[in-house]
Amino acid sequence: MINIKYLLAIVFSSMFFFVSFQGIAQKVKIDGIIERAEALSHFKFLASDELKGRDPERPEIDIAAYYIANQFEKYGAIPLSSLNAYYQYVPFVASSPPTVGELKWKGSKFKHGEDLLVLGGNDLSGDFEMVVAGYGFEDDYADKNVKGKWVVVRVGAPNRLTPTELFKAGREKQALAKSKGAIGLIEMYNVPTTPWRMLVNYLNKSQLALDLDPNKHDDLPYLWMKDLKGEIIKSIASGKNEISIDIKGKKNRKIKGRNVVAVIEGTDPQLKDEYVMLSAHYDHLGITKPNAEGDSIYNGARDNAVGTAALIQAANYFGEHPPKRSILLCAWTAEEKGLLGSSYFADNPPLPLKDIVFNLNIDNGGYNDTSLVTIIGLGRSSVDHLISVAAEDYGLEAIADPSPEQGLYDRSDNVNFAKKGIPAPTFSLGFTAFDQEIGKYYHQVSDQVDNFDLDYAIKYWKTYILSAENIANNLEKPVWKSGDKYEEASNALYGIGN
Ligand SMILES: [Zn+2]
């Protein structure tokens, strides 16, 4: 009988040869398609001053969207049949805070920017009746008549208390309150983990939000009120339910945003019905006040022109060498405004989400180690080793999220798909910590192409393409590692265990 260690050694070394021979063949193909000057031209265009920081509230972002669509088309990616074009339009409302925002209740006055935030709706004034309805979900309306009244609810939900979750829950509650005939919604804020002051600083300025009712102009008035001890809501519930409200100078503007979406059909007759989604947000922070050098443009080379350029290169490569599974290319808008473009896609998918078997997202804050790629969520799915192998083939090492305390997995577009059950890591530039080196460029006007290591950019793009190819050709369908917090959602989405 053969020595088991010897046998294992043979098996492993032959596996190693298989992987690297295959890897070399794939690298030759990738090197043959991805041409340096051409690849860099996409990066430079997207991060150029002329696009004014790709702000979803400014018109220049549409030039970026058109450019991405145009490159997808040039490289042979086609529109998704249900969209019939390269864009999924995303309805937004851009709103500015009111000049006056006051609420009077039981002899006390609440003011916008202090203990009140006017987040939605138009100018109005008058006296109104309030009805308390728990958290403001369907069950909370049981035998309540809210027609013509303001609904008052607790913010978020017991298990949904991160800022992103609060906003998302708020959107659901607004739609529901409106459908019940309410004329306004107040959420009482009492979440200790995010201080009220911080929220005021963040929210008391122009906001971009998904437009819940794009064809109508009567957006539901929507307020947050500070009620840290939950005393006000109790008192309203006990019958002190008259308010007078005065809101003036609130401006709301409807905007049509764009996710750019395209497909490259797979070659395998069965597997081509499964999609590997490659995604990156293409928006960034726009412009700000000029600094000492007179620079006012957030070019967002790292965040996330480099990722958007990766998508374009992927279109270039897979257009020539389609893998077994189909490739779905998605460039998201308004990530910086709260993951809005991807959230809209996840909730209004132009193809069944269960057909998407994997999402390899790209997003970036910066890098501090060019011998690495950092994969946020590495090791959480059954195919993640294929990313590590691709990195090795390019002389890089793939490491997992080094700063889990930053919660990066749940802070980029991938999370909107993970929540639906799709395994969705984010493929980032190499970083070992969220340190000073990252801080030098992260969300700064200095995040530009001219201080980016371009040799590394090329390697990073090629590694991304090779990772995607490995996953799209792998015969086994990706699954979450058992016990992952998104496994249950995944079983529901793909009908596993039914
Ligand atoms: Zn960012």
Side-chain angles (χ1 to χ4, degrees):
M1 212 169 94
I2 195 166
N3 177 310
I4 186 74
K5 277 187 189 157
Y6 180 62
L7 179 68
L8 284 175
I10 295 174
V11 170
F12 274 110
S13 59
S14 58
M15 268 171 64
F16 175 74
F17 278 120
F18 171 72
V19 166
S20 36
F21 275 135
Q22 198 189 33
I24 288 166
Q26 286 169 290
K27 273 181 67 179
V28 168
K29 284 199 294 179
I30 292 172
D31 292 345
I33 298 287
I34 304 305
E35 195 263 315
R36 186 186 167 92
E38 182 184 7
L40 293 178
S41 74
H42 301 309
F43 186 28
K44 289 177 180 171
F45 180 82
L46 290 163
S48 63
D49 283 356
E50 283 73 8
L51 293 185
K52 296 282 189 280
R54 308 183 301 282
D55 180 345
E57 291 182 40
R58 294 184 56 100
E60 293 86 358
I61 194 161
D62 290 343
I63 300 172
Y66 177 73
Y67 181 83
I68 298 161
N70 198 234
Q71 301 308 312
F72 284 173
E73 182 173 23
K74 178 174 96 184
Y75 291 133
I78 58 169
L80 202 59
S81 56
S82 61
L83 291 175
N84 197 23
Y86 288 98
Y87 301 132
Q88 179 189 43
Y89 287 101
V90 185
F92 291 125
V93 187
S95 58
S96 61
T99 48
V100 177
E102 276 179 7
L103 186 153
K104 279 186 214 137
W105 173 75
K106 252 182 73 182
S108 352
K109 202 190 253 184
F110 297 82
K111 276 184 123 174
H112 173 84
E114 289 169 21
D115 34 25
L116 184 74
L117 282 164
V118 180
L119 298 176
N122 300 304
D123 289 2
L124 83 141
S125 60
D127 298 328
F128 305 97
E129 196 183 319
M130 298 181 281
V131 179
V132 172
Y135 280 95
F137 295 109
E138 187 65 54
D139 290 350
D140 299 312
Y141 283 91
D143 39 72
K144 289 213 161 89
N145 180 8
V146 301
K147 260 214 169 74
K149 297 172 189 164
W150 279 67
V151 176
V152 178
V153 303
R154 289 177 200 282
V155 79
N159 55 347
R160 298 167 70 181
L161 292 172
T162 66
T164 325
E165 287 171 327
L166 296 183
F167 298 136
K168 187 147 196 239
R171 291 198 288 273
E172 293 165 27
K173 294 178 195 187
Q174 288 171 67
L176 193 59
K178 205 170 173 185
S179 75
K180 302 281 181 192
I183 54 166
L185 175 68
I186 304 178
E187 287 197 273
M188 292 301 198
Y189 191 85
N190 66 340
V191 181
T193 41
T194 310
W196 172 259
R197 239 318 100 200
M198 212 172 99
L199 276 173
V200 171
N201 288 338
Y202 178 67
L203 294 172
N204 190 16
K205 54 188 176 196
S206 278
Q207 297 293 327
L208 192 73
L210 287 171
D211 189 353
L212 301 167
D213 219 343
N215 301 317
K216 293 213 179 109
H217 288 268
D218 58 335
D219 292 317
L220 190 76
Y222 175 50
L223 317 181
W224 277 13
M225 207 161 143
K226 182 177 166 190
D227 185 21
L228 298 185
K229 295 192 180 129
E231 283 162 352
I232 300 174
I233 193 165
K234 250 189 233 151
S235 183
I236 297 169
S238 73
K240 311 266 186 275
N241 59 1
E242 306 267 292
I243 37 164
S244 64
I245 295 180
D246 187 20
I247 298 168
K248 288 193 187 90
K250 183 135 181 31
K251 288 198 188 83
N252 301 317
R253 190 162 56 94
K254 298 211 175 225
I255 294 177
K256 240 177 168 188
R258 304 167 190 203
N259 288 326
V260 189
V261 182
V263 178
I264 292 164
E265 196 179 295
T267 55
D268 183 278
Q270 262 90 50
L271 290 179
K272 72 176 184 180
D273 295 334
E274 297 181 356
Y275 293 80
V276 171
M277 179 165 81
L278 307 183
S279 61
H281 78 85
Y282 70 96
D283 67 297
H284 195 47
L285 301 169
I287 50 181
T288 182
K289 292 187 196 88
N291 64 10
E293 291 81 46
D295 189 0
S296 61
I297 299 170
Y298 290 113
N299 303 80
R302 291 156 183 79
D303 185 5
N304 186 26
V306 75
T308 311
L311 279 192
I312 295 175
Q313 328 278 353
N316 184 5
Y317 176 71
F318 291 120
E320 288 290 330
H321 300 290
K324 292 189 172 79
R325 288 194 179 80
S326 294
I327 296 285
L328 180 65
L329 301 156
C330 297
W332 309 126
T333 186
E335 186 268 355
E336 305 283 10
K337 303 283 183 181
L339 319 180
L340 299 183
S342 59
S343 167
Y344 184 80
F345 186 100
D347 290 337
N348 304 273
L351 77 171
L353 284 183
K354 67 172 173 46
D355 293 348
I356 303 173
V357 298
F358 199 79
N359 173 209
L360 191 56
N361 185 53
I362 284 203
D363 194 8
N364 287 291
Y367 62 89
N368 59 18
D369 189 335
T370 56
S371 72
L372 302 176
V373 284
T374 298
I375 314 300
I376 313 297
L378 186 72
R380 288 173 70 168
S381 96
S382 60
V383 296
D384 292 10
H385 63 284
L386 298 174
I387 301 172
S388 305
V389 167
E392 271 171 47
D393 283 335
Y394 276 103
L396 298 171
E397 188 194 345
I399 63 161
D401 183 355
S403 317
E405 76 286 353
Q406 292 270 346
L408 292 178
Y409 192 92
D410 292 347
R411 268 173 55 190
S412 184
D413 295 305
N414 61 306
V415 73
N416 286 325
F417 300 97
K419 278 182 188 160
K420 301 279 185 188
I422 301 168
T426 289
F427 189 100
S428 297
L429 298 161
F431 72 97
T432 50
F434 229 83
D435 61 6
Q436 271 192 330
E437 182 57 27
I438 303 289
K440 246 166 58 185
Y441 304 109
Y442 177 67
H443 285 196
Q444 305 292 327
V445 294
S446 53
D447 180 5
Q448 296 174 166
V449 174
D450 60 12
N451 49 35
F452 201 108
D453 179 339
L454 297 179
D455 293 332
Y456 178 57
I458 302 272
K459 244 194 223 179
Y460 174 70
W461 291 325
K462 289 180 174 178
T463 305
Y464 180 72
I465 292 168
L466 185 52
S467 302
E469 184 170 49
N470 285 346
I471 293 164
N473 279 335
N474 189 51
L475 295 180
E476 270 162 50
K477 194 168 162 172
V479 290
W480 292 91
K481 288 273 170 72
S482 88
D484 197 283
K485 70 170 173 172
Y486 296 118
E487 193 187 17
E488 213 181 292
S490 192
N491 292 344
L493 177 70
Y494 300 120
I496 300 168
N498 292 345

